[in-house]
Amino acid sequence: MTTDVGLQHYLDLAERFQAERAAGAPAWLRAFRQEGIAQLARQGFPTSKLEDWKYTNVAPISGQAFSPVRTVHEAGVEAAVARLALPGPGPRLVFVDGWYVRELSRLEGLPAGLTVRSLREALQDGEPLEALVGSRARADASAFTALNAALLEEGAVVRVAPGTVCPEPVQFLFLSRGDTHVTLASPRVVVRAGDNSELTLVESYVGAAPGVSFTNAVTEVVLGAGARVTHLKLQAESETAFHIGGLHAELGRDSRFASHVISLGGALARNEVHSVFGAEGGECTLQGLYVGHGTQHLDNWTNLDHAHPRCSSRELYKGVLDDKARGTFHGKVLVRPDAQRTDARQANRNLLLSEAAMADARPQLEILADDVKCAHGATVGRLDEQALFYLRSRGITRAEAESLLTHAFAKEVVGAVPLAPLREQVEALLARKLPGAKEGRA
């Protein structure tokens, strides 16, 4: 067990949390939190000696004393929500520094068959959540998943009844205030999509202002037979913030799951996607874009588990990195012995816009079946000089040409985001964020 000061702070924090909330909590919840504490103590925070964390040093997180801070009724919060929430109808739950704010949320007019509510309120009302919480994201998955379990209290529960088609997306807006507090938010979103249901879910992690904060989020999605779920995540917190996010999905027979992750913010941000085919005939699409400048470190880790036959997966992650930013992609596709007729494609492409930017690419295939179609690949490169010359020969400045080519590189992922309001929001953020239009280049 690691015994650094940072780890001890989080163990003490979790122990106090457990003691303060033990009264009235059901036995399963106390046991769940206690298992989180035990796993965190057992594992300690990861180091670069671990293969899955080879390129990412979490000392800037583990070495700071982040703690939950619950003061949400401050000037500017409502205006920030109005500015950062997606326009249009549909349910919306707002969280400020990890805490649900009912008066800023919108839950009216839910279609029959859809239930959306705060996890904390569901726990307080004694809802039977034992079979939902932790069904996919176990405390032993990682130290950060363990920490989330140890501090389990807030988040959201989404239930979609069999055959229900949700016409509007469900949005969760996680807002960090960006004040002087080193705040810790530990939300957990739990989704159960019944057979033949359809749902679009948006998780937006945004900052109201620059500031230091730590978001340690876990999302669990279980799809019934024939269900269709699209999960969209925008991570655009302050560039001095820290973010660890884990998405854990299980696909039922003939279900369809799509994940789109856009990672723009954070001094250090890691987005994990764990997807397992729990039955035959499923389809899974994973797409991601990470854009970094300055000294940002953006880490992407995916695991696709083809555990059953006749399933297909498509994965594309792209990175755009400037200045001294570093992007990492570690993607694994596992095809188990009985998963015959698997069709899996994985690609990672990185664009470096400065000599000091770095990209680490580790696509992996582990194939234990023989009747499969699988491929993977990765590229790391710079802007095409021939394309730049072509554009400049038509009177376009170098800065403008670089901007055009950089936006075109990102458009493949951004254009695939199926929800227009989110796509437009991402495009607006990229217009300010994407490197390539710097002044002074000849």
Side-chain angles (χ1 to χ4, degrees):
M1 182 185 92
T2 305
T3 57
D4 62 83
V5 174
L7 177 61
Q8 193 59 54
H9 162 76
Y10 291 101
L11 290 173
D12 292 343
L13 174 67
E15 291 284 4
R16 291 195 303 272
F17 180 91
Q18 173 78 308
E20 291 169 359
R21 288 158 177 80
W28 74 265
L29 181 56
R30 296 196 303 273
F32 187 82
R33 290 167 174 164
Q34 194 60 47
E35 176 63 14
I37 296 172
Q39 288 294 335
L40 180 60
R42 185 176 301 121
Q43 297 184 38
F45 286 110
T47 70
S48 57
K49 294 180 180 180
L50 297 175
E51 191 68 19
D52 289 344
W53 296 84
K54 183 176 181 180
Y55 302 112
T56 299
N57 178 13
V58 302
I61 296 175
S62 62
Q64 294 196 56
F66 290 101
S67 298
V69 176
R70 190 175 180 180
T71 51
V72 298
H73 300 292
E74 293 186 354
V77 171
E78 188 171 348
V81 171
R83 184 177 76 253
L84 297 168
L86 291 180
R92 181 179 69 212
L93 270 68
V94 175
F95 299 80
V96 178
D97 290 337
W99 300 98
Y100 173 59
V101 185
R102 175 185 287 272
E103 54 267 33
L104 297 178
S105 301
R106 183 177 62 203
L107 288 175
E108 300 80 12
L110 295 182
L114 172 64
T115 302
V116 182
R117 67 178 315 196
S118 155
L119 175 62
R120 179 164 50 90
E121 291 183 352
L123 291 172
Q124 290 173 346
D125 292 345
E127 283 197 22
L129 300 177
E130 183 176 2
L132 296 179
V133 177
S135 64
R136 287 305 314 150
R138 295 170 52 89
D140 59 3
S142 75
F144 291 103
T145 309
L147 178 60
N148 181 280
L151 301 177
L152 181 71
E153 180 173 31
E154 190 58 284
V157 180
V158 180
R159 293 186 180 92
V160 190
T164 299
V165 176
C166 302
E168 302 295 341
V170 176
Q171 183 189 16
F172 298 124
L173 179 65
F174 295 95
L175 180 69
S176 298
R177 289 174 301 157
D179 58 16
T180 57
H181 298 292
V182 281
T183 58
L184 168 60
S186 303
R188 182 172 293 235
V189 175
V190 182
V191 181
R192 182 62 59 92
D195 295 352
N196 301 308
S197 63
E198 295 185 20
L199 172 70
T200 296
L201 181 68
V202 182
E203 291 186 48
S204 298
Y205 295 86
V206 292
V212 179
S213 61
F214 173 33
T215 298
N216 183 36
V218 172
T219 299
E220 304 180 75
V221 183
V222 177
L223 290 79
R228 285 167 168 75
V229 174
T230 299
H231 182 272
L232 309 171
K233 179 177 180 179
L234 171 62
Q235 191 282 111
E237 292 160 302
S238 163
E239 291 181 12
T240 55
F242 299 92
H243 183 99
I244 303 289
L247 169 62
H248 303 253
E250 179 179 341
L251 284 72
R253 181 180 296 273
D254 298 324
S255 63
R256 307 288 182 268
F257 179 71
S259 164
H260 300 257
V261 178
I262 308 295
S263 183
L264 308 178
L268 188 161
R270 177 176 168 110
N271 287 290
E272 298 184 3
V273 180
H274 306 253
S275 182
V276 60
F277 291 97
E280 296 186 20
E283 294 182 7
C284 183
T285 300
L286 305 183
Q287 294 209 341
L289 175 68
Y290 45 104
V291 179
H293 61 199
T295 58
Q296 284 185 275
H297 186 112
L298 304 178
D299 186 353
N300 303 272
W301 191 97
T302 68
N303 182 24
L304 269 164
D305 187 347
H306 283 263
H308 287 270
R310 296 191 309 103
C311 295
S312 65
S313 63
R314 295 291 184 270
E315 183 172 6
L316 173 63
Y317 270 68
K318 283 189 167 186
V320 180
L321 304 161
D322 201 359
D323 302 321
K324 296 182 180 180
R326 184 173 187 176
T328 74
F329 173 81
H330 187 162
K332 182 176 181 179
V333 177
L334 171 63
V335 182
R336 297 187 183 273
D338 294 332
Q340 303 296 346
R341 300 179 66 186
T342 286
D343 183 357
R345 301 286 188 273
Q346 181 192 72
N348 174 228
R349 300 168 189 160
N350 295 278
L351 180 60
L352 304 183
L353 298 179
S354 76
E355 294 293 332
M358 294 181 62
D360 304 294
R362 297 196 66 197
Q364 293 179 292
L365 282 175
E366 184 176 350
I367 303 173
L368 305 177
D370 50 22
D371 182 10
V372 302
K373 293 190 296 183
C374 297
H376 69 166
T379 60
V380 179
R382 304 189 184 279
L383 289 172
D384 188 331
E385 287 296 332
Q386 288 187 338
L388 285 171
F389 176 80
Y390 175 85
L391 292 172
R392 294 194 69 191
S393 69
R394 278 147 180 79
I396 299 174
T397 68
R398 182 177 181 89
E400 291 171 333
E402 289 178 343
S403 182
L404 285 171
L405 293 177
T406 305
H407 278 80
F409 178 84
K411 187 174 180 59
E412 184 177 4
V413 175
V414 178
V417 173
L419 185 62
L422 179 62
R423 188 169 61 248
E424 293 166 2
Q425 187 180 51
V426 170
E427 289 171 348
L429 290 170
L430 290 177
R432 301 191 297 268
K433 166 86 174 181
L434 266 181
K438 292 185 174 180
E439 298 292 336
R441 286 183 176 173

